[in-house]
Amino acid sequence: MRTVRRALGPILRWESMLVVLLALICIVFNQRDASQQAAGLSRRDVFNFASIIRGLRPYMLYSFMTLGMMLILAMGEIDISTGASAALSLATLGVVYQGLTNAGMPNVPALILGLACCLLSGGICGALNGWLVTRFKELYSMIITLAMQLFFRGIAYLLLGGGTLTFRNDPVFDSLKKLYNTVAIGSVNVPVMLFWFAAPALVFTVWIHGTVSGRRIFALGTNRACAYFSGVRTDSIQFWMFALCGLMSAVTAIFFTGATSSSIRADAMGGYELYAIAAAVLGGFSTSGGKGSVPGVVLSLVIFGVMKIGLGTLYGFADSMVNLSVGVILIANTLLLGVGRFFPTGWGQGARRLRIKRGAALHPQGE
Amino acid sequence: MKKLLSLLLAVLMLAGLTAVAEAPAGEGLLIGVVYKQSGNPYFQASVTGFQKAADELGFTFLHDGPDDGSSDGQIRIIENYISQGVDAIAVSANDPEALVSVLQEAKAAGIKVVSWDAAVVAAGRDLDVQPASAKSIGLTQLESIAQSIGYEGQLAIVSATATAPNQNLWISFIEEALNSDPAYANIEYVGTVYGDDEYTKSYDETLGLINLYPDLKGIITPTTAGAPAVAKCVLDEGKSIKVTGLTLASDMAEYIKAGVCDATFLWNPIELGYAASYAAVALVNGDITGAEGETYEVPKLGALTIETSTAVNEAGELVPTDGTISYLNKLNAFTVDTVDEWVNIL
């Protein structure tokens, strides 16, 4: 059994399971699409490569937040305030831009300053979370960020006064909608967001899997005390990861403005933190920390997108039913990761070490 | 020769058949309906109207609304409709602005866009279909509550969300009439609170009003979701406050019979969905383009005229916009005598 497992080791990764899951979903949906068309129930081929790539667009909105969230999960913490800090960053963008243009500043620098303030405000929200989490260690990050969620959302309502700020008729501000455009590559309309997402995804992959500072995040999540006594500055890492997560929420807010025709509301992006957590967890980041990989997260974002497109267009599931089925996948996935403990979910060094550790536990004398 | 003749006859007969059984105007069309939120009985009723029109016109339709009532949820649904290649989209928008980009993409793909119930701004639609002009909706409620309280005493409004465009427009007309119409000179308007269309919040806000203004005489609640909570609160507190508003009959029958409400109002959401369907089909077939002055025929409602829509500017005046609209101009009153016949419909 052990030899079998060792031989299959590189294949039995969580990411491979995700690829299989994605392939299965695609096969089932494709069958459904073909049979729908054959029966004359649908008027066009709604499930093909081009339509999936194009259709992923609205589900990419929370992909940036997911990248931030996975860092928090890797440390064994959680941040449920990201949706609210994104809303607060969005409100900051709107209020700063409006204030500056009303004060007579030209639109372009006002927009640049507004975007900077938006990112800054997201970073500050995250840093505030990080400070509270490291300062009050007896409190769970769940509780702290729950409180901060209400706090941030409240400030956003205060800033906007419950109304909608709209800049759709402002050509400079409305150029943000280009972030949500698609570009035609061959016959495929590719969302621009895909390229914007590729950059941080690549950077994060190299950073958290390939550098010492990145792997310390996982070390912290695997065993905080052990990491601390090995010389890892746990508090400092935790603080900066929360700040970075807040920053990624602000990035989400900027793309959200592009999607919603430059209209800014305080109730925007409600529940996005749950989508982000769901995508990160399906990607292999367990809430107990210490494992997960960026490629897994990218795969899980695609799986969620494909699931929602397929269930909506092929099966006529209502929006609420789609969420239900995503919940079912998530539970199934958690059970697989939790009960099975079979698939290494790390990447690079971390994964190898994980396998060695498990081997050592099975055979106390060593292999 | 015989063969040729029989063939000719057969062709003639076939031609005759198709001429007799003329296809309904909407045959083969696919319409995507988007509403504000799934699970709201008001939108379930309007879907019945779309169904009725679909039976008559022969089109098929898809319908969905986000479960959280958000704009980005509606964007997701619209994007799915675009990829399914619908001919028309009929949308009740959660935010008048947020859907513009995605609806413009839909229009660029040749899809006709009708907004109904809650409008999208002109740039995102071909035509807006509304039950009655904002002025008549606002003033009908005001006149009703004024009669109930004998044209004097304190009056408050419990609205939906602070950003809800419909409610804000109606309230602006109510406020204008209260300020200018001498008939309402003895009514003291104490202000508007927002229940966010949530039962608990609407109840709490009403309780707050009752405690703050012990002499309150009347409440207008122009939202179907908030009205039952407002009436329940008044009934629970045992006050002699009269309530009117836009409500579903089934939600309010209890309070109308208990005397809390003398009359409440609503257009018929079934007819609204029904008319929106006819508008969408007429747009797709090119019978109308959505320009001012055109008319389209809706069975039982007659010919509906398309006019320039209006909006409130910053000075609080009603100004024309660059979009067009058509009104059904029908409002139903639910009173103690009529509410029972509506309970099973609305």
Side-chain angles (χ1 to χ4, degrees):
Chain A
M1 188 61 208
R2 184 158 51 90
T3 35
V4 173
R5 197 184 272 189
R6 200 187 294 163
L8 290 177
I11 305 168
L12 284 176
R13 305 185 49 81
W14 182 246
E15 291 80 3
S16 334
M17 296 303 115
L18 290 179
V19 171
V20 172
L21 179 63
L22 181 59
L24 279 177
I25 292 172
C26 285
I27 290 170
V28 172
F29 283 176
N30 215 19
Q31 287 288 332
R32 172 81 181 183
D33 192 19
S35 67
Q36 289 268 74
Q37 273 181 289
L41 290 172
S42 64
R43 50 172 48 189
R44 63 161 78 161
D45 176 15
V46 286
F47 195 79
N48 53 41
F49 182 70
S51 74
I52 292 171
I53 295 293
R54 164 77 172 64
L56 279 177
R57 187 168 68 155
Y59 307 106
M60 297 225 42
L61 281 176
Y62 46 80
S63 60
F64 298 91
M65 196 182 279
T66 310
L67 286 183
M69 186 65 75
M70 90 197 171
L71 299 174
I72 306 293
L73 291 177
M75 300 187 301
E77 304 288 342
I78 199 160
D79 183 351
I80 55 173
S81 73
T82 52
S85 50
L88 179 51
S89 315
L90 185 69
T92 311
L93 168 62
V95 169
V96 167
Y97 181 77
Q98 195 183 39
L100 289 176
T101 45
N102 284 351
M105 188 185 255
N107 293 17
V108 176
L111 183 60
I112 292 171
L113 265 176
L115 291 175
C117 289
C118 171
L119 294 174
L120 188 68
S121 122
I124 290 174
C125 287
L128 203 56
N129 281 330
W131 180 73
L132 287 169
V133 168
T134 48
R135 179 71 185 74
F136 301 100
K137 291 204 174 61
E138 65 279 13
L139 290 177
Y140 289 109
S141 50
M142 169 81 93
I143 301 302
I144 290 176
T145 53
L146 172 67
M148 295 316 276
Q149 175 187 41
L150 301 171
F151 179 70
F152 295 150
R153 186 73 73 179
I155 307 256
Y157 271 105
L158 271 183
L159 282 177
L160 295 174
T164 305
L165 267 186
T166 177
F167 301 104
R168 195 176 47 79
N169 296 320
D170 179 337
V172 175
F173 192 99
D174 203 40
S175 61
L176 284 182
K177 79 174 176 206
K178 289 188 184 132
L179 293 173
Y180 195 67
N181 277 354
T182 55
V183 284
I185 298 179
S187 61
V188 184
N189 285 321
V190 184
V192 181
M193 245 191 294
L194 223 53
F195 302 109
W196 284 100
F197 176 69
L202 277 175
V203 170
F204 275 51
T205 310
V206 173
W207 171 47
I208 72 170
H209 300 307
T211 70
V212 177
S213 69
R215 287 209 296 275
R216 280 186 179 145
I217 305 168
F218 289 102
L220 200 161
T222 311
N223 190 330
R224 193 188 167 95
C226 182
Y228 179 78
F229 288 113
S230 312
V232 176
R233 293 164 62 200
T234 49
D235 278 2
S236 156
I237 291 182
Q238 220 166 19
F239 174 82
W240 286 110
M241 289 311 110
F242 269 98
L244 187 54
C245 181
L247 185 73
M248 294 310 283
S249 307
V251 173
T252 308
I254 294 173
F255 284 92
F256 185 86
T257 328
T260 54
S261 316
S262 312
S263 69
I264 288 175
R265 295 167 61 118
D267 62 357
M269 291 171 285
Y272 270 39
E273 62 280 355
L274 301 181
Y275 296 135
I277 293 170
V281 169
L282 181 63
F285 283 85
S286 99
T287 44
S288 49
K291 46 186 176 176
S293 76
V294 181
V297 164
V298 173
L299 274 168
S300 84
L301 282 167
V302 174
I303 290 175
F304 273 134
V306 169
M307 279 286 294
K308 290 184 165 192
I309 297 168
L311 291 176
T313 58
L314 295 170
Y315 293 83
F317 272 38
D319 198 46
S320 40
M321 288 295 107
V322 174
N323 284 345
L324 184 147
S325 44
V326 168
V328 171
I329 290 197
L330 208 60
I331 289 177
N333 147 67
T334 320
L335 286 178
L336 256 179
L337 272 180
V339 178
R341 293 208 161 278
F342 197 60
F343 310 109
T345 55
W347 193 257
Q349 284 294 323
R352 227 168 292 148
R353 211 178 299 141
L354 212 72
R355 278 202 292 280
I356 293 166
K357 211 171 78 186
R358 188 162 50 217
L362 284 169
H363 308 278
Q365 274 77 41
E367 291 183 274
Chain B
M1 190 61 207
K2 223 177 189 176
K3 260 185 188 166
L4 200 71
L5 198 71
S6 57
L7 191 72
L8 202 72
L9 273 174
V11 169
L12 273 175
M13 275 170 73
L14 211 64
L17 264 179
T18 47
V20 172
E22 194 189 341
E27 190 73 60
L29 298 188
L30 181 61
I31 296 179
V33 178
V34 191
Y35 36 83
K36 287 183 175 181
Q37 189 165 24
S38 54
N40 183 334
Y42 175 83
F43 292 112
Q44 286 165 359
S46 60
V47 167
T48 325
F50 282 100
Q51 185 60 57
K52 215 168 107 191
D55 294 341
E56 290 171 12
L57 292 174
F59 64 84
T60 41
F61 73 104
L62 312 158
H63 62 96
D64 198 2
D67 57 354
D68 56 356
S70 67
S71 299
D72 55 311
Q74 291 194 312
I75 290 175
R76 288 198 291 272
I77 292 167
I78 292 170
E79 293 216 22
N80 274 351
Y81 285 163
I82 297 175
S83 79
Q84 281 166 285
V86 296
D87 296 295
I89 290 172
V91 57
S92 167
N94 277 319
D95 184 293
E97 298 279 351
L99 304 179
V100 175
S101 289
V102 70
L103 287 176
Q104 279 175 337
E105 281 183 28
K107 283 165 81 176
I111 298 170
K112 299 293 178 190
V113 180
V114 175
S115 62
W116 54 280
D117 177 62
V120 192
V121 291
R125 67 177 201 235
D126 290 301
L127 177 64
D128 187 27
V129 178
Q130 293 294 338
S133 66
K135 188 170 184 174
S136 71
I137 292 175
L139 296 188
T140 307
Q141 295 176 72
L142 177 59
E143 179 56 28
S144 166
I145 198 76
Q147 280 180 13
S148 298
I149 64 176
Y151 292 91
E152 62 181 348
Q154 287 182 329
L155 173 71
I157 298 174
V158 180
S159 184
T161 61
T163 55
N166 282 343
Q167 275 78 7
N168 285 349
L169 193 55
W170 302 330
I171 292 170
S172 74
F173 280 110
I174 294 175
E175 288 174 350
E176 190 193 301
L178 282 168
N179 288 333
S180 59
D181 193 329
Y184 306 128
N186 293 329
I187 294 177
E188 185 201 344
Y189 170 54
V190 298
T192 299
V193 294
Y194 300 96
D196 290 353
D197 274 354
E198 287 168 20
Y199 192 92
T200 323
K201 177 137 197 256
S202 306
Y203 190 98
D204 291 346
E205 292 287 346
T206 312
L207 197 58
L209 272 176
I210 293 176
N211 290 333
L212 197 58
Y213 303 103
D215 297 329
L216 194 66
K217 284 280 174 283
I219 299 176
I220 298 176
T221 168
T223 158
T224 52
V230 174
K232 177 88 166 79
C233 180
V234 169
L235 195 61
D236 286 352
E237 293 298 302
K239 294 277 187 175
S240 63
I241 298 172
K242 290 290 184 184
V243 177
T244 191
L246 292 177
T247 72
L248 292 171
S250 51
D251 283 345
M252 300 302 282
E254 183 188 347
Y255 309 109
I256 291 173
K257 287 172 184 169
V260 177
C261 313
D262 287 341
T264 63
F265 301 88
L266 196 67
W267 50 87
N268 189 332
I270 303 172
E271 281 176 355
L272 187 56
Y274 184 70
S277 306
Y278 273 85
V281 169
L283 279 167
V284 175
N285 287 340
D287 300 338
I288 55 172
T289 59
E292 190 191 353
E294 293 174 329
T295 59
Y296 61 100
E297 196 75 33
V298 183
K300 282 169 287 189
L301 294 172
L304 302 187
T305 311
I306 299 173
E307 43 191 289
T308 302
S309 64
T310 49
V312 182
N313 68 5
E314 277 156 16
E317 297 157 333
L318 208 59
V319 291
T321 68
D322 45 1
T324 53
I325 194 166
S326 67
Y327 293 115
L328 276 63
N329 275 327
K330 246 182 123 181
L331 220 53
N332 290 314
F334 308 131
T335 64
V336 71
D337 300 322
T338 63
V339 70
D340 278 335
E341 43 189 281
W342 284 99
V343 162
N344 292 327
I345 303 170
L346 290 173

